[in-house]
Amino acid sequence: MSNAPDAPGGAGESEAVDLGPIDYLVIAFPGSHLSGEGLPLLVDLVERDIVRILDLIFVNKDEAGTVTAVELADVDGDGVLDLTVFEGASSGLLGDADVTEAGLLLEPGDSAVVLLYENRWAAPLAAALRRADARMVASGRVPVQDLLEVLDALEELDAAG
């Protein structure tokens, strides 16, 4: 399931105009314990064309603190192929510097997935805005914990008032 975009200047040049917003995630697995529980959900998002995986890198930090990229195969060492469904999902946008930066977020013995993905659901809107010469001037994400705290505070105000 390689769903990486075509290289710039190739057949995918017109596709770049229709790109949705690009995001990244670094997901740490303390003790390198990967259950695979989220994998079917990610596959579902890809199959429904909600997201497109541009790059997917596995990072491991050994007990000595050495950070390495891990091949897409038997990531957890249990003898079962784990995430090969995304083998070939590599645009080349993530590199050694990204592996190093992700490694800084890990404790020795931990692993992580670095995921660069396109929000395909937003591509038609993004393309329409580009055609209208609109420009994104700010972007961000509200941390879920912050949102929950605000909702809790509002609920307390309603209960008190």
Side-chain angles (χ1 to χ4, degrees):
M1 166 195 295
S2 174
N3 62 358
D6 294 328
E13 188 68 34
S14 65
E15 184 178 341
V17 175
D18 295 334
L19 278 175
I22 308 297
D23 285 326
Y24 74 91
L25 297 172
V26 178
I27 304 165
F29 296 94
S32 295
H33 175 71
L34 288 82
S35 71
E37 185 176 344
L39 180 61
L41 299 170
L42 182 58
V43 170
D44 180 60
L45 291 172
V46 170
E47 287 176 348
R48 291 189 295 139
D49 206 29
I50 294 171
V51 301
R52 176 170 51 165
I53 306 301
L54 301 175
D55 273 310
L56 185 68
I57 297 175
F58 292 88
V59 177
N60 181 278
K61 187 173 197 173
D62 66 20
E63 295 299 333
T66 303
V67 176
T68 56
V70 179
E71 290 295 319
L72 284 178
D74 182 15
V75 177
D76 60 11
D78 66 357
V80 178
L81 294 179
D82 303 304
L83 298 167
T84 55
V85 68
F86 294 111
E87 196 166 22
S90 177
S91 65
L93 294 171
L94 294 178
D96 292 341
D98 300 299
V99 170
T100 300
E101 191 171 333
L104 295 174
L105 302 170
L106 301 176
E107 296 295 323
D110 291 355
S111 294
V113 173
V114 182
L115 177 65
L116 183 69
Y117 64 96
E118 174 191 5
N119 291 285
R120 294 293 300 155
W121 61 269
L125 173 62
L129 293 172
R130 281 190 289 273
R131 287 190 301 272
D133 201 30
R135 300 286 182 255
M136 175 71 71
V137 295
S139 178
R141 179 157 289 146
V142 176
V144 173
Q145 190 58 43
D146 292 353
L147 179 64
L148 293 174
E149 289 172 9
V150 169
L151 291 172
D152 287 345
L154 289 172
E155 188 175 297
E156 287 175 18
L157 283 175
D158 279 346

